[in-house]
Amino acid sequence: MSERQGSGAMSGNRKPAGQDDSKAAPEEDFADIDMKAPETEKAAVAIQSQFRKFQSKKKQEVKS
């Protein structure tokens, strides 16, 4: 099994209370991405499919 460095709740990295990510991170510009392009829609479906598989696998591991 491959080992990856996790982030957030998975690895236990927590920020002290009062720190807000929205203030620190600048807004990203997605203006150059055509959200209605067929390629974009296919990519979104593929990403969602993989995420659902991950969630399903994660849920099964919790039951075991």
Side-chain angles (χ1 to χ4, degrees), residues 2 4 7-8 11 19 22 28 34 40 45 48 52 56 60:
S2 65
R4 295 187 280 175
S7 63
S11 66
Q19 286 188 350
S22 63
E28 296 182 33
D34 182 9
T40 306
V45 169
Q48 291 169 359
R52 287 186 188 112
S56 173
Q60 289 175 358

Side-chain angles (χ1 to χ4, degrees), residues 16-37:
Q19 286 188 350
D20 189 5
D21 283 338
S22 63
K23 293 179 184 175
E27 279 195 36
E28 296 182 33
D29 185 22
F30 293 107
D32 62 336
I33 299 174
D34 182 9
M35 298 305 281
K36 294 184 180 182

